[in-house]
Amino acid sequence: MNGLKKIASKVVVCTLCDLSLKRKNSVPGTGPENAKLFIIGEAPGKYEDEKGLPFIGLSGRFLNKYLEAVGIKREDAFVTNAVKCRPPNNRKPESKEVDACRPYLIGQLSIIKPKLVLALGTSACNALGIKYKHLSDVRGKSMDLDFFGLKLHVFITFHPSFPMRFTKPRDTFLMDLKEVARLLNSQQ
Ligand code: URA
C-alpha cells in the first residue's frame, strides 16, 4: 500500500473528533502522489459525504471550471480539505476539528511534497496556521511556510463558494488562478 493509501485507510475509520459521529463517509482526498499542486478546501459537503470524494458538488464544479480556464488539469492536482468529514449542516469546521485533522494533512503534504499549495479560504489557512485579520490581507499572495518542518510555497485565494454565489469576486478569483498556473509553470 502506498503512503497516501495508508493515510486514507486511517481517515476512513478516524474518530479523532466528533465530526466522525455524523458522517456517512470521510473524504481523505484524491489525486496523484506526484501532484505539483495541492489544493486545500474547507470541508466535505453533502455530495462529498455521500461519495467519499472531495469537491464533487456545486462548488467543485465551479472550481473545476476555473481550473480548466487557466489550463490546470484537476486530475493532476491533489485535492483535499482542512477537515476530512462533513460538519453538520455544512457549518464551518471548528478550530479543534481542524487541529484534530491536521496530522492527516501533514502526512499527505510530506508524501506529495507539492511545488505549490493552493489554500481556498479561511479554513484552509487555519489548517496551515496562516494568521491574518481579514482574508483580504493575504488573498492573492503567495508565501513560504515552514509547516511542521515541511517547506511549503502557499498561494491563498477565496473558497470557490464565494465567487460561485456572488458575481463580483469572479474576476479576482480568475486572476488568482491565473497566478497559480503561472507559479506552477515557473522555473523555481
Ligand atoms: N467545499 C469544500 O471546501 N470542500 C469540498 O470538498 C466540497 C465543498
Side-chain angles (χ1 to χ4, degrees):
M1 206 190 291
N2 75 21
L4 287 175
K5 283 205 178 122
K6 242 183 236 167
I7 292 173
S9 70
K10 288 185 185 152
V11 169
V12 294
V13 295
C14 179
T15 54
L16 286 175
C17 82
D18 285 351
L19 293 182
S20 61
L21 301 174
K22 298 255 167 85
R23 72 173 177 232
K24 286 188 187 147
N25 292 289
S26 55
V27 182
T30 52
E33 199 163 315
N34 64 353
K36 285 204 294 175
L37 178 62
F38 190 108
I39 301 177
I40 309 176
E42 181 166 282
K46 181 175 186 285
Y47 297 104
E48 291 80 13
D49 177 62
E50 270 162 18
K51 297 275 194 254
L53 299 168
F55 276 113
I56 55 167
L58 282 181
S59 55
R61 264 192 271 163
F62 185 87
L63 175 65
N64 291 348
K65 202 171 82 176
Y66 277 74
L67 289 173
E68 201 182 315
V70 301
I72 296 173
K73 288 203 184 92
R74 153 123 184 211
E75 61 271 24
D76 290 345
F78 189 81
V79 182
T80 189
N81 284 298
V83 295
K84 315 292 197 215
C85 297
R86 183 190 183 196
N89 305 315
N90 296 338
R91 67 159 169 75
K92 229 179 177 39
E94 293 172 11
S95 277
K96 65 177 181 207
E97 295 159 349
V98 174
D99 291 346
C101 222
R102 192 174 288 110
Y104 299 124
L105 192 65
I106 296 170
Q108 291 169 327
L109 283 163
S110 64
I111 290 165
I112 294 173
K113 297 187 183 67
K115 180 169 183 181
L116 187 66
V117 178
L118 174 59
L120 300 171
T122 55
S123 296
C125 288
N126 183 5
L128 292 169
I130 298 168
K131 304 268 185 268
Y132 52 82
K133 207 157 170 206
H134 301 288
L135 186 69
S136 57
D137 301 339
V138 288
R139 196 239 90 240
K141 296 202 168 90
S142 59
M143 57 181 74
D144 291 317
L145 271 192
D146 186 327
F147 185 62
F148 296 89
L150 297 170
K151 303 264 176 275
L152 301 181
H153 194 53
V154 182
F155 186 89
I156 300 157
T157 188
F158 305 126
H159 187 278
S161 61
F162 178 56
M164 183 178 79
R165 290 178 61 195
F166 303 100
T167 50
K168 223 176 147 202
R170 285 184 194 167
D171 286 350
T172 308
F173 191 61
L174 181 63
M175 183 180 77
D176 284 354
L177 289 190
K178 280 184 183 159
E179 177 63 5
V180 169
R182 193 192 67 77
L183 289 168
L184 279 175
N185 293 324
S186 70
Q187 281 322 318
Q188 1 104 31

